[in-house]
Amino acid sequence: MAEGKTRIGVVAPGSAIDRDVAERVTALAGRLYPDGRVDLVFHPQCFESKGHFAGADEARAAAFVQTANDQSLDALWFARGGYGACRLIESVLPALGAAARRKTYMGYSDAGSLLGALYGKGFTHIAHGPMPVDIIRSGGEAAVVRALSFLVERNPQALEPSLSAEVPAAAFNLTILCHLLGTPWQPNLSGHVLMVEEVSEYMYRIDRDLFQLTSNPALRWVAGLKLGRCSDIPPNRPDFGQSEEEVARAWCQRSGITWLGRADIGHDVGNKVVPFGLWRV
Protein backbone atom coordinates (compact mmCIF):
# COMPACT_ATOMS: atom_id res chain seq x y z
CA MET A 1 0.00 0.00 0.00
CA ALA A 2 1.12 3.60 -0.59
CA GLU A 3 2.47 5.15 2.57
CA GLY A 4 -0.38 6.40 4.74
CA LYS A 5 -3.04 5.81 2.10
CA THR A 6 -4.90 2.95 0.45
CA ARG A 7 -5.77 3.59 -3.19
CA ILE A 8 -8.55 1.41 -4.57
CA GLY A 9 -9.40 1.23 -8.26
CA VAL A 10 -12.97 0.31 -9.20
CA VAL A 11 -13.93 -1.30 -12.52
CA ALA A 12 -17.09 -2.95 -13.87
CA PRO A 13 -16.31 -6.12 -15.87
CA GLY A 14 -20.02 -6.89 -16.20
CA SER A 15 -22.86 -4.39 -15.85
CA ALA A 16 -22.56 -0.65 -15.27
CA ILE A 17 -23.26 1.33 -12.12
CA ASP A 18 -24.88 4.73 -11.79
CA ARG A 19 -22.71 7.69 -10.86
CA ASP A 20 -24.86 8.03 -7.75
CA VAL A 21 -23.39 4.73 -6.50
CA ALA A 22 -19.85 6.02 -6.89
CA GLU A 23 -20.75 9.29 -5.17
CA ARG A 24 -22.43 7.55 -2.24
CA VAL A 25 -19.60 5.06 -1.74
CA THR A 26 -16.98 7.81 -2.00
CA ALA A 27 -18.86 9.93 0.53
CA LEU A 28 -19.16 6.96 2.88
CA ALA A 29 -15.42 6.26 2.61
CA GLY A 30 -14.77 9.91 3.44
CA ARG A 31 -16.89 9.68 6.58
CA LEU A 32 -15.23 6.43 7.65
CA TYR A 33 -11.71 7.72 7.00
CA PRO A 34 -11.80 11.50 7.42
CA ASP A 35 -8.00 11.53 7.59
CA GLY A 36 -7.94 10.92 3.85
CA ARG A 37 -6.27 7.53 4.10
CA VAL A 38 -8.58 6.06 1.43
CA ASP A 39 -8.69 7.11 -2.19
CA LEU A 40 -11.38 5.50 -4.37
CA VAL A 41 -10.72 5.74 -8.11
CA PHE A 42 -13.80 4.82 -10.15
CA HIS A 43 -12.73 4.14 -13.73
CA PRO A 44 -14.97 6.03 -16.22
CA GLN A 45 -15.74 2.66 -17.81
CA CYS A 46 -17.94 1.86 -14.77
CA PHE A 47 -20.58 4.23 -16.16
CA GLU A 48 -20.49 3.21 -19.81
CA SER A 49 -23.27 1.22 -21.43
CA LYS A 50 -23.41 -1.09 -24.41
CA GLY A 51 -26.38 -3.41 -24.33
CA HIS A 52 -26.25 -5.48 -21.16
CA PHE A 53 -22.66 -4.47 -20.43
CA ALA A 54 -20.67 -1.57 -19.00
CA GLY A 55 -19.15 -0.90 -22.39
CA ALA A 56 -17.93 -3.25 -25.11
CA ASP A 57 -15.81 -6.26 -24.16
CA GLU A 58 -12.69 -4.43 -25.37
CA ALA A 59 -13.45 -1.37 -23.24
CA ARG A 60 -14.12 -3.40 -20.13
CA ALA A 61 -10.98 -5.47 -20.65
CA ALA A 62 -8.86 -2.37 -21.22
CA ALA A 63 -10.17 -0.76 -18.02
CA PHE A 64 -9.44 -3.90 -16.04
CA VAL A 65 -5.90 -4.23 -17.38
CA GLN A 66 -5.16 -0.53 -16.91
CA THR A 67 -6.37 -0.60 -13.31
CA ALA A 68 -4.71 -3.90 -12.45
CA ASN A 69 -1.35 -2.78 -13.83
CA ASP A 70 -1.45 0.67 -12.20
CA GLN A 71 1.38 0.65 -9.66
CA SER A 72 -0.22 3.49 -7.68
CA LEU A 73 -3.29 1.38 -6.81
CA ASP A 74 -3.34 -1.15 -3.97
CA ALA A 75 -6.58 -2.95 -4.83
CA LEU A 76 -9.01 -3.60 -7.65
CA TRP A 77 -12.61 -3.62 -6.45
CA PHE A 78 -15.35 -4.93 -8.71
CA ALA A 79 -18.13 -2.33 -8.93
CA ARG A 80 -20.88 -4.91 -9.32
CA GLY A 81 -21.74 -8.26 -10.80
CA GLY A 82 -24.03 -8.59 -13.77
CA TYR A 83 -23.01 -11.07 -16.44
CA GLY A 84 -19.91 -10.31 -18.47
CA ALA A 85 -16.73 -10.96 -16.47
CA CYS A 86 -16.12 -14.35 -18.09
CA ARG A 87 -15.94 -12.70 -21.52
CA LEU A 88 -12.76 -10.88 -20.46
CA ILE A 89 -10.68 -13.70 -18.97
CA GLU A 90 -8.82 -14.83 -22.05
CA SER A 91 -7.82 -11.30 -23.08
CA VAL A 92 -6.89 -9.80 -19.71
CA LEU A 93 -4.85 -12.53 -18.02
CA PRO A 94 -1.88 -12.45 -20.45
CA ALA A 95 -1.74 -8.64 -20.13
CA LEU A 96 -1.29 -8.52 -16.35
CA GLY A 97 2.14 -7.65 -15.02
CA ALA A 98 3.98 -7.59 -11.70
CA ALA A 99 1.94 -4.70 -10.28
CA ALA A 100 -1.25 -6.64 -10.95
CA ARG A 101 0.05 -9.62 -8.97
CA ARG A 102 0.61 -7.45 -5.90
CA LYS A 103 -2.97 -6.19 -5.80
CA THR A 104 -5.97 -7.26 -3.76
CA TYR A 105 -9.04 -8.18 -5.87
CA MET A 106 -12.50 -8.32 -4.33
CA GLY A 107 -16.03 -8.90 -5.54
CA TYR A 108 -18.65 -11.64 -5.79
CA SER A 109 -21.43 -12.90 -8.03
CA ASP A 110 -20.34 -12.79 -11.70
CA ALA A 111 -16.98 -11.33 -10.60
CA GLY A 112 -16.21 -14.88 -9.43
CA SER A 113 -15.32 -15.78 -13.03
CA LEU A 114 -12.32 -13.46 -12.97
CA LEU A 115 -11.52 -14.08 -9.31
CA GLY A 116 -11.38 -17.84 -9.91
CA ALA A 117 -9.27 -17.45 -13.04
CA LEU A 118 -6.85 -15.10 -11.25
CA TYR A 119 -6.55 -17.49 -8.32
CA GLY A 120 -5.92 -20.36 -10.69
CA LYS A 121 -3.06 -18.39 -12.26
CA GLY A 122 -1.33 -17.82 -8.94
CA PHE A 123 -2.70 -14.46 -7.86
CA THR A 124 -2.61 -14.64 -4.08
CA HIS A 125 -4.73 -11.73 -2.83
CA ILE A 126 -8.22 -12.70 -3.97
CA ALA A 127 -11.37 -12.23 -1.86
CA HIS A 128 -15.10 -12.89 -2.22
CA GLY A 129 -16.82 -9.92 -0.61
CA PRO A 130 -19.21 -6.96 -0.92
CA MET A 131 -19.07 -4.51 -3.83
CA PRO A 132 -19.89 -0.79 -4.22
CA VAL A 133 -23.30 -1.52 -5.79
CA ASP A 134 -24.40 -3.12 -2.51
CA ILE A 135 -24.94 0.39 -1.17
CA ILE A 136 -28.27 0.55 -3.02
CA ARG A 137 -29.66 -2.40 -1.03
CA SER A 138 -31.70 -1.75 2.09
CA GLY A 139 -29.08 -1.53 4.84
CA GLY A 140 -26.38 -1.75 2.18
CA GLU A 141 -24.05 0.75 3.80
CA ALA A 142 -23.13 -1.96 6.31
CA ALA A 143 -21.89 -4.20 3.49
CA VAL A 144 -19.78 -1.41 1.98
CA VAL A 145 -18.37 -0.53 5.41
CA ARG A 146 -17.41 -4.18 5.86
CA ALA A 147 -15.72 -4.28 2.46
CA LEU A 148 -13.75 -1.09 3.10
CA SER A 149 -12.73 -2.22 6.57
CA PHE A 150 -11.18 -5.29 4.98
CA LEU A 151 -9.60 -3.56 2.00
CA VAL A 152 -8.12 -0.78 4.13
CA GLU A 153 -7.54 -2.31 7.57
CA ARG A 154 -7.75 -6.08 7.01
CA ASN A 155 -10.32 -5.99 9.81
CA PRO A 156 -10.87 -9.60 10.99
CA GLN A 157 -14.44 -8.71 11.95
CA ALA A 158 -15.24 -8.47 8.24
CA LEU A 159 -14.38 -12.14 7.65
CA GLU A 160 -16.68 -15.13 7.42
CA PRO A 161 -16.50 -16.40 11.00
CA SER A 162 -15.75 -20.07 10.28
CA LEU A 163 -12.48 -19.39 8.44
CA SER A 164 -9.56 -21.41 9.75
CA ALA A 165 -5.93 -20.36 10.02
CA GLU A 166 -4.88 -23.87 8.96
CA VAL A 167 -7.28 -24.75 6.12
CA PRO A 168 -7.52 -22.68 2.91
CA ALA A 169 -10.90 -21.49 1.72
CA ALA A 170 -12.60 -20.11 -1.37
CA ALA A 171 -16.10 -18.80 -2.08
CA PHE A 172 -18.18 -18.49 -5.23
CA ASN A 173 -21.63 -18.04 -6.58
CA LEU A 174 -22.69 -21.62 -7.33
CA THR A 175 -23.68 -21.05 -10.97
CA ILE A 176 -20.53 -19.07 -11.74
CA LEU A 177 -18.26 -21.77 -10.33
CA CYS A 178 -20.11 -24.47 -12.27
CA HIS A 179 -19.51 -22.50 -15.46
CA LEU A 180 -15.76 -22.46 -14.75
CA LEU A 181 -15.60 -26.22 -14.38
CA GLY A 182 -13.87 -27.96 -17.25
CA THR A 183 -12.42 -24.72 -18.62
CA PRO A 184 -8.74 -23.72 -18.55
CA TRP A 185 -9.75 -21.22 -15.86
CA GLN A 186 -10.96 -23.75 -13.29
CA PRO A 187 -8.86 -23.10 -10.15
CA ASN A 188 -7.32 -25.88 -8.11
CA LEU A 189 -9.40 -25.98 -4.93
CA SER A 190 -7.96 -29.21 -3.52
CA GLY A 191 -7.84 -29.08 0.26
CA HIS A 192 -9.97 -25.93 0.40
CA VAL A 193 -13.16 -25.37 2.33
CA LEU A 194 -15.43 -24.44 -0.57
CA MET A 195 -18.30 -22.04 0.15
CA VAL A 196 -21.06 -21.44 -2.42
CA GLU A 197 -24.12 -19.22 -2.48
CA GLU A 198 -26.93 -18.58 -4.94
CA VAL A 199 -29.66 -16.11 -5.81
CA SER A 200 -32.82 -16.15 -7.93
CA GLU A 201 -32.47 -19.73 -9.13
CA TYR A 202 -35.14 -22.44 -9.02
CA MET A 203 -34.51 -25.32 -6.64
CA TYR A 204 -34.13 -27.74 -9.52
CA ARG A 205 -31.33 -25.57 -10.93
CA ILE A 206 -29.60 -25.44 -7.55
CA ASP A 207 -29.92 -29.21 -7.37
CA ARG A 208 -28.55 -29.61 -10.91
CA ASP A 209 -25.61 -27.29 -10.21
CA LEU A 210 -24.75 -29.15 -7.02
CA PHE A 211 -24.79 -32.38 -9.03
CA GLN A 212 -22.34 -30.86 -11.51
CA LEU A 213 -20.15 -29.39 -8.79
CA THR A 214 -19.88 -32.50 -6.63
CA SER A 215 -19.42 -34.76 -9.67
CA ASN A 216 -16.36 -32.90 -10.92
CA PRO A 217 -13.36 -35.14 -10.14
CA ALA A 218 -11.14 -32.24 -9.06
CA LEU A 219 -13.78 -30.85 -6.71
CA ARG A 220 -13.98 -34.14 -4.83
CA TRP A 221 -10.61 -33.22 -3.32
CA VAL A 222 -11.96 -30.18 -1.45
CA ALA A 223 -11.74 -30.25 2.33
CA GLY A 224 -15.49 -29.84 2.50
CA LEU A 225 -18.50 -27.85 1.32
CA LYS A 226 -20.29 -25.03 3.11
CA LEU A 227 -23.53 -23.61 1.74
CA GLY A 228 -24.16 -19.89 1.94
CA ARG A 229 -27.55 -18.29 1.59
CA CYS A 230 -29.71 -19.17 -1.40
CA SER A 231 -32.05 -16.21 -1.64
CA ASP A 232 -35.07 -15.26 -3.76
CA ILE A 233 -35.69 -18.84 -4.88
CA PRO A 234 -38.67 -18.72 -7.27
CA PRO A 235 -41.61 -20.97 -6.40
CA ASN A 236 -41.60 -24.28 -8.23
CA ARG A 237 -44.76 -25.88 -9.63
CA PRO A 238 -45.08 -28.51 -8.31
CA ASP A 239 -43.12 -27.79 -5.15
CA PHE A 240 -39.61 -29.23 -5.38
CA GLY A 241 -40.03 -30.85 -1.99
CA GLN A 242 -36.50 -30.28 -0.68
CA SER A 243 -34.63 -27.24 0.64
CA GLU A 244 -31.26 -26.06 -0.60
CA GLU A 245 -29.60 -27.51 2.48
CA GLU A 246 -31.24 -30.88 1.99
CA VAL A 247 -30.04 -31.15 -1.61
CA ALA A 248 -26.53 -29.94 -0.69
CA ARG A 249 -26.29 -32.53 2.08
CA ALA A 250 -27.53 -35.24 -0.28
CA TRP A 251 -24.98 -34.45 -2.99
CA CYS A 252 -22.19 -34.32 -0.43
CA GLN A 253 -23.21 -37.76 0.83
CA ARG A 254 -23.33 -39.21 -2.69
CA SER A 255 -19.97 -37.75 -3.68
CA GLY A 256 -18.08 -38.34 -0.47
CA ILE A 257 -17.47 -34.62 0.04
CA THR A 258 -17.61 -33.58 3.67
CA TRP A 259 -20.65 -31.44 4.52
CA LEU A 260 -19.51 -28.57 6.74
CA GLY A 261 -22.77 -26.72 7.30
CA ARG A 262 -23.72 -23.16 6.43
CA ALA A 263 -21.58 -20.15 5.52
CA ASP A 264 -22.30 -16.49 6.21
CA ILE A 265 -22.16 -15.38 2.57
CA GLY A 266 -24.80 -14.48 0.01
CA HIS A 267 -26.26 -11.89 -2.32
CA ASP A 268 -27.24 -9.65 0.58
CA VAL A 269 -25.96 -7.03 3.00
CA GLY A 270 -24.80 -9.73 5.43
CA ASN A 271 -22.27 -11.09 2.92
CA LYS A 272 -18.97 -11.66 4.76
CA VAL A 273 -15.49 -11.55 3.23
CA VAL A 274 -13.79 -14.82 2.28
CA PRO A 275 -10.12 -14.44 1.25
CA PHE A 276 -9.00 -17.28 -1.03
CA GLY A 277 -6.40 -19.67 0.30
CA LEU A 278 -4.84 -18.90 3.67
CA TRP A 279 -4.30 -15.22 2.90
CA ARG A 280 -5.80 -12.93 5.53
CA VAL A 281 -3.52 -9.87 5.79
Side-chain angles (χ1 to χ4, degrees):
M1 295 181 181
E3 185 176 355
K5 177 172 287 195
T6 301
R7 302 194 72 237
I8 303 169
V10 185
V11 296
S15 300
I17 59 170
D18 294 332
R19 292 186 182 275
D20 175 65
V21 169
E23 292 168 1
R24 289 174 63 184
V25 172
T26 300
L28 176 58
R31 296 196 301 272
L32 288 171
Y33 303 100
D35 56 0
R37 63 185 289 199
V38 177
D39 186 14
L40 291 177
V41 183
F42 283 83
H43 196 287
Q45 170 271 324
C46 291
F47 316 113
E48 293 183 15
S49 179
K50 185 175 178 60
H52 173 89
F53 307 105
D57 289 354
E58 296 78 10
R60 300 196 322 280
F64 187 93
V65 170
Q66 179 187 0
T67 302
N69 285 337
D70 188 333
Q71 296 187 42
S72 73
L73 297 172
D74 303 295
L76 188 153
W77 196 12
F78 292 78
R80 67 171 299 171
Y83 172 72
C86 67
R87 295 166 64 116
L88 311 186
I89 295 173
E90 200 152 10
S91 61
V92 303
L93 285 189
L96 301 181
R101 287 190 172 272
R102 293 192 292 268
K103 277 187 177 54
T104 298
Y105 297 81
M106 188 164 77
Y108 71 103
S109 190
D110 187 70
S113 296
L114 273 166
L115 294 176
L118 289 166
Y119 189 59
K121 293 302 178 182
F123 285 67
T124 55
H125 293 80
I126 307 296
H128 178 283
M131 299 181 289
V133 76
D134 284 316
I135 203 165
I136 69 175
R137 299 181 187 271
S138 176
E141 281 198 1
V144 176
V145 168
R146 184 181 312 115
L148 287 170
S149 75
F150 177 75
L151 289 171
V152 178
E153 308 167 47
R154 298 294 187 258
N155 183 354
Q157 297 302 312
L159 301 177
E160 204 283 334
S162 70
L163 290 171
S164 164
E166 290 79 33
V167 183
F172 290 89
N173 171 265
L174 175 60
T175 297
I176 295 302
L177 179 55
C178 284
H179 288 174
L180 282 178
L181 300 181
T183 74
W185 321 116
Q186 178 178 336
N188 180 4
L189 299 177
S190 298
H192 289 58
V193 171
L194 175 60
M195 306 182 193
V196 294
E197 52 80 24
E198 193 52 271
V199 63
S200 300
E201 294 286 3
Y202 286 95
M203 271 306 312
Y204 72 86
R205 291 180 179 171
I206 294 173
D207 184 62
R208 183 169 59 199
D209 282 349
L210 285 166
F211 152 70
Q212 183 181 10
L213 186 75
T214 58
S215 299
N216 183 276
L219 268 295
R220 292 195 172 182
W221 292 99
V222 297
L225 180 72
K226 291 180 73 74
L227 182 66
R229 287 177 288 280
C230 297
S231 55
D232 299 328
I233 299 174
N236 199 78
R237 298 291 182 270
D239 185 72
F240 190 75
Q242 291 178 286
S243 69
E244 69 271 20
E245 181 169 330
E246 287 173 324
V247 296
R249 284 176 176 271
W251 285 115
C252 282
Q253 183 177 20
R254 293 185 191 192
S255 64
I257 294 174
T258 301
W259 165 254
L260 295 174
R262 303 305 295 258
D264 194 6
I265 62 170
H267 272 65
D268 52 43
V269 299
N271 188 26
K272 300 300 191 299
V273 176
V274 179
F276 284 33
L278 289 172
W279 168 67
R280 301 288 183 269
V281 295

